Each structure stands twice: as C-alpha cells, then as structure tokens.
Amino acid sequence: MAHAQDKYYIPHGTKWPILMSVGLFTFFLGVSSGLNGGSFTVPVVMGLGLVLTIIFLWFGEVIGESEQGTYNDQVDSSFRIGMMWFIFSEVMFFAVFFGALFYARQLALPWLGGEGNNFFTNLFIWQGFENAWPSNGPADVGGDFETMGPWGVPAINTALLLTSGVTITVAHHALKENNRRILGIFLAMTFLLGFIFMGFQAYEYIHAYQDLNLKMTTGIYGSTFFMLTGFHGMHVTIGAIMLLVIWLRCLRGHFTPKHHFAFEAVAWYWHFVDVVWLGLFIFIYWV
Amino acid sequence: MGRTVGNNRFTKCLAVLITSLLGGGAAQAAWELNMPVGATDVSAKVFDLHMLILWVCVAIGVLVFAAMIYCIVVFRKSKGAVADTSIAHSNTAEFIWTVIPVLILIAMAVPAAQTLVEIEVVRDTEMTIKITGYQWKWEYEYVGEDVSFYSSLASESNAARQLNTDIDPFEVENYLLDVDKPLVVPAGTRIRYLITSNDVLHAWWMPDFAVKKDAIPGFINEGWFEVNEPGIYRGQCAELCGKDHGFMPVVVEVLPKEEFDVWLAEKKGGVARAAATANQ
Amino acid sequence: MSATTTHDEHHDDHGPDKGIMRWITTTNHKDIGTLYLFFALAMLFVGGAMSLVIRAELFQPGLQFVNPDFFNQMTTMHALIMVFGMIMPAFVGFANWMVPMMIGAPDMALPRLNNWSFWILPFAGTMLLSTLFMDGGGPASGWTLYPPLVLQTGDALPFAIFAVHLLGVSSIMGAINIIVTIMNMRAPGMTLMKMPLFVWTWLITAYLLIAVMPVLAGGVTMLLTDAFFGTSFFQAAGGGDPVLFQHIFWFFGHPEVYIIILPAFGIISQIIPTFSRKPLFGNDSMIYATASIAFLSFIVWAHHMFTVGMPLAGQLFFMLSTMLIAVPTGVKVFNWTSTMWKGSLSFETPMLFALAFLFLFTIGGFSGLMLAIVPADFQYHDSYFVVAHFHYVLVPGALFGAIAGAYFWMPKWTGHMYNETLGKVHFWLSAIFVNVLFFPQHFLGLAGMPRRIPDYATQFADFNAISTIGAFGFGFTQLLFVYIVIKCVRGGEKATAQVWDGAEGLEWTVPSPAPYHTFEDAPEVR
Ligand code: HEA
Ligand code: HEA
Ligand code: CUA
Ligand SMILES: [Cu+2]
C-alpha cells in the first residue's frame, strides 16, 4: 500500500457510467412496457442485472483505489461533502410524501368535509361526508379498513431501528479504536437488526392486506401509508445491504482508524433512515 | 383554400402593420392591445389596477433603461472613455435602490389587496348558478330553479375548425366564441357561481367580468359577479383540458331583469312540459 | 508542471484518448462540458423545431397542419425539451468548463460521477422523445403534467415519468458535483467572497437543484402510482386533491425558473465588467441578492395557482412574497448598470447579448411582477400574457445569457476568435426577431387569448401572424449561430490567453485553447 498521494486523484476514463445508463434505460423501458400491459421480463431482468453488475464493478474499482491509498484527504472530503448532499436530496424526496400526508390531513379532507369556504363542496358533491382521520376519502375508496396500531409491530420496529443506531455507533467507536472484533460484532448486529426490521415490515404488509383490508388502493390513507413505509423500507433494504458490504470489507481488513469514509457514509445513511422512521412512526402510526 | 387564405392574411397583416406604423389604420378592432375594461365594477377595478402597475413598471423601465442607454452612449471606449476602476460599490446607492423599490411595491400591494378582498368575499348574492366543466362543454345549473343545460361550441364554428376544411374562419361569425346555448343571467344582480368539473381541470374565464376560476373535479369553488349592462359576453376555457381545450367557449347573455324572469319561466315551463311528457 | 510529478500515474497522460471512446469514457471536465454544450445545442433545435410547429399552426386561424392533440404534444414536449434538455444542460456545460478553471481546480471533484451525469441525458432524452411515436402519442398535458388530464395519457405516461426521473438523477448528481467542487477544490487563497460571480450563482443554483429535483421526482412518482397502482393522491373521492400536485409541481417549478436564470445572471456578471473594463459594482451585494432570490424562490410557488380557489390569506401571502423578489433582482439590474457607469465600454458580441439580456430580462421581470398582482392575474393567468412573460425571461433572458457566455468563452475553448461580423449579425437578427416573436404575445394575452390552444378567434389573427414571422426569423437565425460555432472550432484568428483586454480571473491566465489539464498544481490566489 503506497503512501497517500499529495495530488488530487483524477481517474482517467471510465466505462461504468455509460453502461449504468444503458442498464437504467433498459430497466425503465421494461417497467414502462409492463405497466402498459406489455411484456417486460427480458428488459427488466437484463436492465436490472446490468445495473447491479455495474454497481458491483464500479464500487469495486473505487474500493480498490481507496485501499491502494490513491485518495488523499482532499478526495476524502469530496466524498464526504458529496454524500451529505446526496442524503439531503433524499430528505427532500421523503419530504414530498410527508407533505402529501399533511396536505391531505390538514387541508384536503377538511375541505371535502365542508370546511373553509367549501360548504358547497360538501353539500353538492360529498353530502354527509364527515372528515376524520384515518380516512379513505368521501367515496370510501377501497372499502372499510382498519389501521395499523402503533404499539404492536411498529413499536418493535422502532426499537429495532433505534437499537441499530446505537450498535452502529458502537461499531464506529470500535473502528476508531481499532478494536476489530467489537467492530465486526456490532456491525453484524446492525445489519441483522435491519434485516429483522424488514422481516417485520413484510409481515406487517401481509397482515395489512389480508386482515385489515388496508391496501395501496385504500384511499388517501392507504396511499400515504404504503408510499411512505414502502420507500422507507426500500431505503432500509439498501442501507442494510450497504452495511453488509461494509461488514465484509471489515472482515477483509479494510478501513483504518483514520481512513474509513465508506463506513461513515453508510452510518450517516443509516441514521437518516432511522430518523425518517421516527417521522413515520409518529405521523403514520401514532397521531 | 388554406394556402390562399394564408397569403391574404399575410399581405393584409403586413399592410396593417405598415399603415399603423405610419400612424393610420390603427383603429382596426382586431389590433386590440389592452385588457378590456369589462362590464362589472370589479372588472373596471381590475383594469385600473392593471393600468396602475403597468404605468409603474413603464415609469421604472424608462428610468432604468435611460440610465443604461446613457452608459452605453456616453461611456464608450471608442469615444475615448477611460474606466474609473475605483468605483466598486456604494452603500448609499445600494441602500436607496433597495428601499425605494420596497416602497413602490407596498404602494402597489395595498390597492391590489383591497381589490382582492372585494373579489374573494362572496356575500349578499341573489341567485346561484352551478357551473360544471366537461370534456368539452359546460353545464349550467340554476340552483333551486330546476333548470339546467349544456353549452357547447356552436356548430358553424365546429365545422370550420376541423383540419382540412375549406371553410374560412373569417366567414364564421364569432368564430370559436359562440355556443349553442349561452348562460343567461339577469343584469344588475349579484350572482354567486359555484364551479366544479366532471373529469379534468377546466377554468371558466370571462374577461369582461374579470372572472377566471378553476373547475376542479371533486371540489367546488365559488365566486360572484354582477353585470351592469345587458349584452352578450364571450370568453373561453382557460385550463388545458385535453384535445378540445380550445373549443369550449364561455358565452354569457345578460338580460334586463324582467326579460330574464320571462326567460327563466319559459325554461322552467319547458322543463315542466318535458317532465310531463316523460311521465305520460 | 514541476518536479512533484514523479509518482503521479495520471500525469503520464496529458492528452485525450482518440476517437469516440474519448467522449464516452471521458472524466475530463472540459470534455464533459463540451458534451453538455453540444447536447444542449442539438436540443435547442429539436425543441425549437417543435415550437415552429406550434407557431406554424398558429400563423392563422383554423387548423392547417396538425390536429389538436398533436398540437398539445408539441407544446408539452417543446417545453420539456427546452427546459430539461436544452437550457439546464447548457448551463451545466458552462459550469463544467468554467468552474474548475475559475477556482483553480484540476478538474471537477467527482469525475466519474460527472461522466454519468452527462451520459444519463441522451438516454433520458431518447426515452422522452420516443413517446411521440407511441400509441396515443406523447404526453399532451402541458409541461406542468397536471392530473387528472395527464392520467389520460396513452402508453407514453410511464416512459415520460421515468424520463423525468432520469433527468432528475442527472441534475442532482451534477449539482452535487458542482457543490463539492466549489466547496472543496478551490485553490489556496480563493476564499468564498473572492469567487467569481458565475461560480457563486452556480453554487446557489446547485443547492436549489438538490432541494427541488427530488420533490418533482416524488410528485411524478405519485402520478405513476395514481395511474397504475390505484392510489388516491390526486383524487378527491379517495381523500386526495388534484391541486396537491400543483403545489408539488410548483414547489419544484418556481425554484426551477431561478435554476434556469441564476447561471445566466452569473455569466452576465462576468461579461459586463469585462467589457466595461471595470470591476463588478457591488460584488458582495450581488452575492447576497442571489442568495435572497434563492431563498425567496421557495416561498412563492403558489403564484402559479391563484385561480385554484386558495384561501384568501394564502393568496395574499403568495402575492406579497412574490413581489418581494423584485427587490433583490432589482439590486442586480442596478448593479449591472452601475458597473457600466464611468466604464470604458466596447461592444463585442458577448457584450451585445449581455446588454440585450439586461433590457429584455427586465421587461420580462416587469411582466412577472404584473402577474404577481392577484386580481390582475385572474385576467392574465393561462393567457398569452403569461407566455410572453416567461419567454422574455427564458429566451432573451436565459438563452441569451447562454449565447453570450458561448461567445465570451469560445476563444478560450477553441483557441480561435469567432467571426465578429457574423456574431454581430447573429446578435442583431436575434434581438430584433425575438421581440417580433414575443412582444405581440402580450397584446394577445391581454385581449383574451388563452394559452395552449391550436386555433383561435379571428380577432387574434394579426398579432399571431406577426409572432409566427418572428419565430421563423428567430429560429433560422440560430442556424447562423451553429455556423459560427463550427467555423470557430475549425479555425480562425488565434486567441490570446487573456482574449479580452478587460478580462480578469484565473481562466484567462491559462493559454487558449485551455490545455486538456489545467491547474494540476494549484495557482496562488492573492
Ligand atoms: C427564467 C425564468 C423566470 C424568471 C426569472 C421569472 C421571474 C418572475 N416571475 Fe415568472 N414564470 C416563468 C419563468 C420565470 N419567471 C415561467 C416559465 C412561468 C410559467 C410557467 C407555466 O405556467 O408554464 C412563469 C409564470 C409566472 C407567474 C404565474 C402566472 C400565471 O400563470 O398566472 C407569476 C406570477 O406571479 C410570475 C412572476 C414572476 C416574478 C414576480 C418574477 C421576478 O423574479 C421578476 C423580478 C424582476 C424584475 C421585477 C425586473 C427588474 C427589477 C427592477 C428594475 C427593480 C425595480 C422594480 C420594481 C420595484 C417593480 N411568473
Ligand atoms: C428555455 C425554455 C424555452 C425556450 C428557449 C423556448 C423557445 C421558444 N418558444 Fe417556448 N415554451 C417554453 C419554454 C421555452 N420556449 C415553456 C416552458 C412553455 C410552456 C409549455 C406549456 O404550456 O406547457 C412554452 C410554450 C410556448 C408556446 C405556447 C404554446 C401553447 O401555449 O400552446 C409558444 C408559442 O408561440 C412557444 C414558442 C417558442 C418559440 C417560437 C421559441 C423560440 O425561441 C425557439 C427558437 C427556435 C429554434 C432555435 C429552432 C430553430 C429550428 C430550425 C431552424 C429548424 C431546423 C430544424 C432542425 C435542424 C431540426 N413556446
Ligand atoms: Cu376545458 Cu380547457
Ligand atoms: Cu414562479
């Protein structure tokens, strides 16, 4: 392992980006075609396969360079700043769906119930509709449903994620103190907690669909519920996979107490997913 | 044919352009430059507001552009101007051109807010009409009167607007601004309108009343107007609603109160008769 | 470069690869900038050709060429292509080329990501354009994609939505790269307040992009699920509201228009001092004004929705916040003017376009201010007055800004001077035709012509005819621009390093054409 460069490393030529774009393009063509009722298996599988392969190879190359000491401190802070703003963009992405939830609860539903100057909305179109959350709207879209109470599975999930936030912090400290054994154990605990969370979430979805008649089609309640928890679940999955990768890298002896951007990036991401969950727990399940 | 019509239009419009530039011929009705004053007190107020902000902008524009032109004319390198590089900023100047615009804006915001409040507060209305947008027509319902009907593009316009037709739009009276059955309302009456849609968004726009309100499926918006002068007023749908968005005009026929009562009674009779025949 | 280069592998290759692979695999900010710029230029003609279809149909009343549905597809695609395919990539291209050179960085901070940001675009563009050939045609709901109408789109809907997603990914990645470059790659001594204004405006633009592109992505995702998975976000029956989409769209859309104009402000702020041979007046207040505009842009979005039946308090709030934007924008206009004051002005093509920008953007700003006055907007809204407003800020505003920048930096890029006479011809024809094209649209709107209609009442005939003449004149004039660019790339008078005698800044210290790698050793900035 060479000493860190004193020059900012500029990679020379890369074929991953264009292949990545081809993969995404193929994938989305397939999905679109599928949504329109056409055939989709081949492009979706090919596209997704290409995307995943490229992610693997692209990250592999970057990790290799990183381990060779190609990146100096300035490159490291580029990665850090970049990751921070990437997470900010994710925050904004979730903000839209929270915004939709608040809009529906605070504005749209009350209006449909005749509030503000919407007396006539209620009188002429939705006679007899009284606004109360949870709601699947004045037309009772999707039929009667039950909501997911906060104190069962969601509370357990909250505990799981909060604990995982602690374990990753412990792992981080261990890494900084070069205690590889603790690092390995606590990192493993973190992603295991993540996967258990996903298991519960899957169970919850099945329960919702089979027992509660709570579906994506259940009016605005179902829409916001599944959109928010769904995208969150997707992020937990991605985060947990990243944790797994980081763990494998730790086992291989990657990272030093001083130099471990990838570890921190994943940790930040995981905390972000955690915080979003708290928002979900409060606004989706609880109040 | 389309092509010849086009050439005629082209030459005519060049001719008009030239004559109007020379100071003549500008009286042509087609060369409408400004917003209509309209037929309601509100529309007149909106017009005044529009003129006020227009002139404020023109005045600021004249000053700003004059300054720019002055610089361009006077400080030319080709005329030997030498740059005074010591001028980098001036707190006084920057303070002034922050504060003065703020004051101007406040001066504009006050009358705007007053007019807005007047428009938005619906009270003391004497009758209610429910307007529903459809792809691509309007339905008008006289609430509580059991009268309602659809209003669609007049058939002459509809024939002339087809692709590849030989009909010259200039030969069609009120091309695209005519309907089979206009909305009929009494003059001098404060009318509440409720507006909604049955499919996608539409917007009911009547320039002469300064009314433009979106028709939103599942929700009802309300507003009001009171027309002073009897007459026929024309407008259009103002929210993209699909392929025939350009072909769902709004036409309102304002009758003197007594005539309106007669019209309504007749309509009601018509409905009653129709119901009676249906029952038989 | 000096003795420190011994152990740098990347130093053994100073030139680009050969052939097409150079462009596909490049990680060089200059190559990627060039790619962006040519992509944007191509899209100007694609989007422009669509606008010429629109203008041709509107030349006279009656339907002559296209059916109404195809007309709406043209309107929608024209706007999407121009906004996402032309003007935004153009400015990202400028950022790629100029930001590293202006701050003394060796390249963009994340070069591979940079390549990806670009190479998403052609695919996303292809996906979007391909919808025109699908069952039911392309999206025809206007670029604003309002439901429920957009849900009536045929097969094109998911393709268009995913294209928007991809364009969003490209923009976000590009923006992250620009922020990281500016925050982390500045040469020693290049403090934030010393940064050139173009860099500043792009920094702020990049923040805006990261904040709002995900919002658009979320909004169109909800459209997708409403269309295909039975959700009720935008349906009253299920407790949603079609207007919710409008809020989401404009929460993105309004900052978006400043994303479009701020980089142009930056370019103008480089050009006017150069050709006035005088430093930019009120440099610091320009920075604060830019930041204020960006901040305000988040709280004015509903001025696009005054007719949806918002509560009175909401209308008042959005009217006042919108009007406030005139203040920082005014500061900019006044500062530019003051920069010329007691300067020593010369009028090469970049300066001419910058001056046209100054006048015509201001006119567009005034009409924007008029639109902000709610009662008056009840009349203006969705009429050609709005079309006139936004084309004044977009075409002689943003597009002229881009063209001015292209002339300004072309000698640095190519090493050759462009043909000044042709440049001036291009300028005068553009400046005249753009007014012939868009000025009459103010009158049309005031007289009551709605936008997004393929056919109109006969009293609107004359101004429409004039506008169409202007459109074709303006459009074909741009072919001259292409000719000038190609000629300049191919050859011409050799450009000096400084190019313009009033030019200041790091980018003018390197030779013209700028070497493939610049500032591998950071310059010292006093
Ligand atoms: C580059 C893009 C750009 C820019 C910079 C602007 C700038 C502004 N815009 Fe514009 N706008 C658009 C692009 C842009 N807009 C687009 C694309 C649409 C339509 C979208 C669609 O529906 O498809 C639109 C629509 C639009 C509307 C909605 C109209 C409607 O649909 O009913 C409104 C309403 O308030 C508005 C207002 C403004 C204002 C107040 C500014 C201000 O920022 C302008 C400020 C500038 C000045 C005022 C001039 C300079 C100032 C001075 C010289 C100082 C002194 C001046 C005074 C004190 C008056 N715009
Ligand atoms: C940056 C953005 C941008 C730019 C640069 C332009 C540029 C132009 N726009 Fe655009 N326009 C919008 C953004 C833009 N527009 C938006 C956002 C809308 C709203 C859409 C909506 O309602 O949803 C709109 C809507 C719009 C309308 C209203 C349509 C309607 O309401 O139905 C019209 C009508 O005149 C129009 C015209 C033009 C013209 C003539 C130009 C000209 O400046 C273009 C100049 C032309 C060229 C530069 C091309 C030259 C082409 C040739 C010479 C042919 C050769 C061809 C090839 C080689 C392929 N535009
Ligand atoms: Cu109805 Cu447009
Ligand atoms: Cu806006």
Side-chain angles (χ1 to χ4, degrees), chain B residues 248-262:
Chain B
M248 50 184 293
V250 170
V251 180
V252 181
E253 188 176 350
V254 181
L255 296 177
K257 256 196 185 114
E258 313 75 52
E259 284 180 40
F260 172 78
D261 290 338
V262 174

PDB file of all heavy atoms in Angstrom, chain B residues 248-262:
ATOM      1  N   MET B 248     -64.030  25.095 -26.205  1.00  0.00           N
ATOM      2  CA  MET B 248     -65.167  25.144 -25.277  1.00  0.00           C
ATOM      3  C   MET B 248     -65.357  26.562 -24.738  1.00  0.00           C
ATOM      4  O   MET B 248     -65.023  26.875 -23.618  1.00  0.00           O
ATOM      5  CB  MET B 248     -65.054  24.105 -24.151  1.00  0.00           C
ATOM      6  CG  MET B 248     -63.774  24.038 -23.382  1.00  0.00           C
ATOM      7  SD  MET B 248     -63.789  22.677 -22.161  1.00  0.00           S
ATOM      8  CE  MET B 248     -65.022  23.188 -20.977  1.00  0.00           C
ATOM      9  N   PRO B 249     -65.933  27.429 -25.605  1.00  0.00           N
ATOM     10  CA  PRO B 249     -66.080  28.819 -25.206  1.00  0.00           C
ATOM     11  C   PRO B 249     -67.091  29.000 -24.074  1.00  0.00           C
ATOM     12  O   PRO B 249     -67.876  28.115 -23.780  1.00  0.00           O
ATOM     13  CB  PRO B 249     -66.578  29.504 -26.478  1.00  0.00           C
ATOM     14  CG  PRO B 249     -67.123  28.432 -27.324  1.00  0.00           C
ATOM     15  CD  PRO B 249     -66.424  27.163 -26.953  1.00  0.00           C
ATOM     16  N   VAL B 250     -66.985  30.166 -23.483  1.00  0.00           N
ATOM     17  CA  VAL B 250     -67.907  30.580 -22.432  1.00  0.00           C
ATOM     18  C   VAL B 250     -68.693  31.757 -22.996  1.00  0.00           C
ATOM     19  O   VAL B 250     -68.087  32.748 -23.389  1.00  0.00           O
ATOM     20  CB  VAL B 250     -67.107  31.055 -21.208  1.00  0.00           C
ATOM     21  CG1 VAL B 250     -68.022  31.718 -20.196  1.00  0.00           C
ATOM     22  CG2 VAL B 250     -66.331  29.908 -20.590  1.00  0.00           C
ATOM     23  N   VAL B 251     -69.989  31.634 -23.089  1.00  0.00           N
ATOM     24  CA  VAL B 251     -70.770  32.774 -23.566  1.00  0.00           C
ATOM     25  C   VAL B 251     -71.868  33.062 -22.545  1.00  0.00           C
ATOM     26  O   VAL B 251     -72.565  32.150 -22.102  1.00  0.00           O
ATOM     27  CB  VAL B 251     -71.390  32.511 -24.957  1.00  0.00           C
ATOM     28  CG1 VAL B 251     -72.183  33.728 -25.410  1.00  0.00           C
ATOM     29  CG2 VAL B 251     -70.301  32.176 -25.958  1.00  0.00           C
ATOM     30  N   VAL B 252     -71.964  34.317 -22.173  1.00  0.00           N
ATOM     31  CA  VAL B 252     -72.986  34.718 -21.209  1.00  0.00           C
ATOM     32  C   VAL B 252     -73.867  35.780 -21.841  1.00  0.00           C
ATOM     33  O   VAL B 252     -73.371  36.777 -22.360  1.00  0.00           O
ATOM     34  CB  VAL B 252     -72.345  35.282 -19.923  1.00  0.00           C
ATOM     35  CG1 VAL B 252     -73.430  35.662 -18.920  1.00  0.00           C
ATOM     36  CG2 VAL B 252     -71.392  34.270 -19.305  1.00  0.00           C
ATOM     37  N   GLU B 253     -75.153  35.534 -21.797  1.00  0.00           N
ATOM     38  CA  GLU B 253     -76.090  36.528 -22.291  1.00  0.00           C
ATOM     39  C   GLU B 253     -76.724  37.198 -21.083  1.00  0.00           C
ATOM     40  O   GLU B 253     -77.356  36.534 -20.263  1.00  0.00           O
ATOM     41  CB  GLU B 253     -77.164  35.853 -23.158  1.00  0.00           C
ATOM     42  CG  GLU B 253     -78.053  36.855 -23.851  1.00  0.00           C
ATOM     43  CD  GLU B 253     -79.041  36.169 -24.781  1.00  0.00           C
ATOM     44  OE1 GLU B 253     -78.905  34.944 -25.013  1.00  0.00           O
ATOM     45  OE2 GLU B 253     -79.958  36.857 -25.266  1.00  0.00           O
ATOM     46  N   VAL B 254     -76.501  38.491 -20.962  1.00  0.00           N
ATOM     47  CA  VAL B 254     -77.052  39.219 -19.820  1.00  0.00           C
ATOM     48  C   VAL B 254     -78.299  39.946 -20.274  1.00  0.00           C
ATOM     49  O   VAL B 254     -78.262  40.764 -21.195  1.00  0.00           O
ATOM     50  CB  VAL B 254     -76.016  40.211 -19.259  1.00  0.00           C
ATOM     51  CG1 VAL B 254     -76.587  40.951 -18.062  1.00  0.00           C
ATOM     52  CG2 VAL B 254     -74.741  39.480 -18.876  1.00  0.00           C
ATOM     53  N   LEU B 255     -79.427  39.618 -19.621  1.00  0.00           N
ATOM     54  CA  LEU B 255     -80.700  40.212 -19.994  1.00  0.00           C
ATOM     55  C   LEU B 255     -81.130  41.190 -18.906  1.00  0.00           C
ATOM     56  O   LEU B 255     -80.773  41.032 -17.746  1.00  0.00           O
ATOM     57  CB  LEU B 255     -81.766  39.125 -20.102  1.00  0.00           C
ATOM     58  CG  LEU B 255     -81.569  38.069 -21.189  1.00  0.00           C
ATOM     59  CD1 LEU B 255     -82.674  37.028 -21.096  1.00  0.00           C
ATOM     60  CD2 LEU B 255     -81.571  38.710 -22.560  1.00  0.00           C
ATOM     61  N   PRO B 256     -81.926  42.187 -19.270  1.00  0.00           N
ATOM     62  CA  PRO B 256     -82.551  43.008 -18.224  1.00  0.00           C
ATOM     63  C   PRO B 256     -83.369  42.083 -17.331  1.00  0.00           C
ATOM     64  O   PRO B 256     -83.880  41.055 -17.790  1.00  0.00           O
ATOM     65  CB  PRO B 256     -83.474  43.948 -19.018  1.00  0.00           C
ATOM     66  CG  PRO B 256     -82.928  43.946 -20.414  1.00  0.00           C
ATOM     67  CD  PRO B 256     -82.272  42.627 -20.632  1.00  0.00           C
ATOM     68  N   LYS B 257     -83.483  42.469 -16.083  1.00  0.00           N
ATOM     69  CA  LYS B 257     -84.080  41.586 -15.084  1.00  0.00           C
ATOM     70  C   LYS B 257     -85.419  40.988 -15.536  1.00  0.00           C
ATOM     71  O   LYS B 257     -85.649  39.790 -15.422  1.00  0.00           O
ATOM     72  CB  LYS B 257     -84.294  42.367 -13.780  1.00  0.00           C
ATOM     73  CG  LYS B 257     -83.253  42.016 -12.735  1.00  0.00           C
ATOM     74  CD  LYS B 257     -83.709  42.479 -11.353  1.00  0.00           C
ATOM     75  CE  LYS B 257     -82.617  42.233 -10.348  1.00  0.00           C
ATOM     76  NZ  LYS B 257     -82.020  43.434  -9.769  1.00  0.00           N
ATOM     77  N   GLU B 258     -86.310  41.850 -16.052  1.00  0.00           N
ATOM     78  CA  GLU B 258     -87.646  41.363 -16.393  1.00  0.00           C
ATOM     79  C   GLU B 258     -87.574  40.319 -17.494  1.00  0.00           C
ATOM     80  O   GLU B 258     -88.188  39.258 -17.419  1.00  0.00           O
ATOM     81  CB  GLU B 258     -88.549  42.504 -16.859  1.00  0.00           C
ATOM     82  CG  GLU B 258     -88.528  43.750 -15.986  1.00  0.00           C
ATOM     83  CD  GLU B 258     -87.272  44.579 -16.172  1.00  0.00           C
ATOM     84  OE1 GLU B 258     -86.945  44.903 -17.334  1.00  0.00           O
ATOM     85  OE2 GLU B 258     -86.576  44.866 -15.159  1.00  0.00           O
ATOM     86  N   GLU B 259     -86.744  40.633 -18.504  1.00  0.00           N
ATOM     87  CA  GLU B 259     -86.621  39.678 -19.599  1.00  0.00           C
ATOM     88  C   GLU B 259     -86.060  38.362 -19.097  1.00  0.00           C
ATOM     89  O   GLU B 259     -86.440  37.292 -19.566  1.00  0.00           O
ATOM     90  CB  GLU B 259     -85.720  40.239 -20.705  1.00  0.00           C
ATOM     91  CG  GLU B 259     -86.382  41.279 -21.562  1.00  0.00           C
ATOM     92  CD  GLU B 259     -85.440  41.794 -22.645  1.00  0.00           C
ATOM     93  OE1 GLU B 259     -84.704  40.970 -23.224  1.00  0.00           O
ATOM     94  OE2 GLU B 259     -85.429  43.014 -22.881  1.00  0.00           O
ATOM     95  N   PHE B 260     -85.136  38.478 -18.144  1.00  0.00           N
ATOM     96  CA  PHE B 260     -84.560  37.241 -17.601  1.00  0.00           C
ATOM     97  C   PHE B 260     -85.644  36.402 -16.918  1.00  0.00           C
ATOM     98  O   PHE B 260     -85.726  35.194 -17.112  1.00  0.00           O
ATOM     99  CB  PHE B 260     -83.453  37.545 -16.603  1.00  0.00           C
ATOM    100  CG  PHE B 260     -82.966  36.307 -15.884  1.00  0.00           C
ATOM    101  CD1 PHE B 260     -82.107  35.423 -16.527  1.00  0.00           C
ATOM    102  CD2 PHE B 260     -83.392  36.005 -14.592  1.00  0.00           C
ATOM    103  CE1 PHE B 260     -81.678  34.259 -15.890  1.00  0.00           C
ATOM    104  CE2 PHE B 260     -82.974  34.843 -13.957  1.00  0.00           C
ATOM    105  CZ  PHE B 260     -82.110  33.971 -14.606  1.00  0.00           C
ATOM    106  N   ASP B 261     -86.507  37.077 -16.145  1.00  0.00           N
ATOM    107  CA  ASP B 261     -87.566  36.346 -15.459  1.00  0.00           C
ATOM    108  C   ASP B 261     -88.435  35.605 -16.460  1.00  0.00           C
ATOM    109  O   ASP B 261     -88.808  34.448 -16.244  1.00  0.00           O
ATOM    110  CB  ASP B 261     -88.409  37.309 -14.619  1.00  0.00           C
ATOM    111  CG  ASP B 261     -87.604  37.825 -13.427  1.00  0.00           C
ATOM    112  OD1 ASP B 261     -86.620  37.132 -13.053  1.00  0.00           O
ATOM    113  OD2 ASP B 261     -87.923  38.902 -12.900  1.00  0.00           O
ATOM    114  N   VAL B 262     -88.748  36.287 -17.551  1.00  0.00           N
ATOM    115  CA  VAL B 262     -89.556  35.642 -18.580  1.00  0.00           C
ATOM    116  C   VAL B 262     -88.827  34.416 -19.123  1.00  0.00           C
ATOM    117  O   VAL B 262     -89.383  33.327 -19.256  1.00  0.00           O
ATOM    118  CB  VAL B 262     -89.848  36.639 -19.736  1.00  0.00           C
ATOM    119  CG1 VAL B 262     -90.566  35.936 -20.883  1.00  0.00           C
ATOM    120  CG2 VAL B 262     -90.641  37.818 -19.214  1.00  0.00           C
TER     121      VAL B 262
END
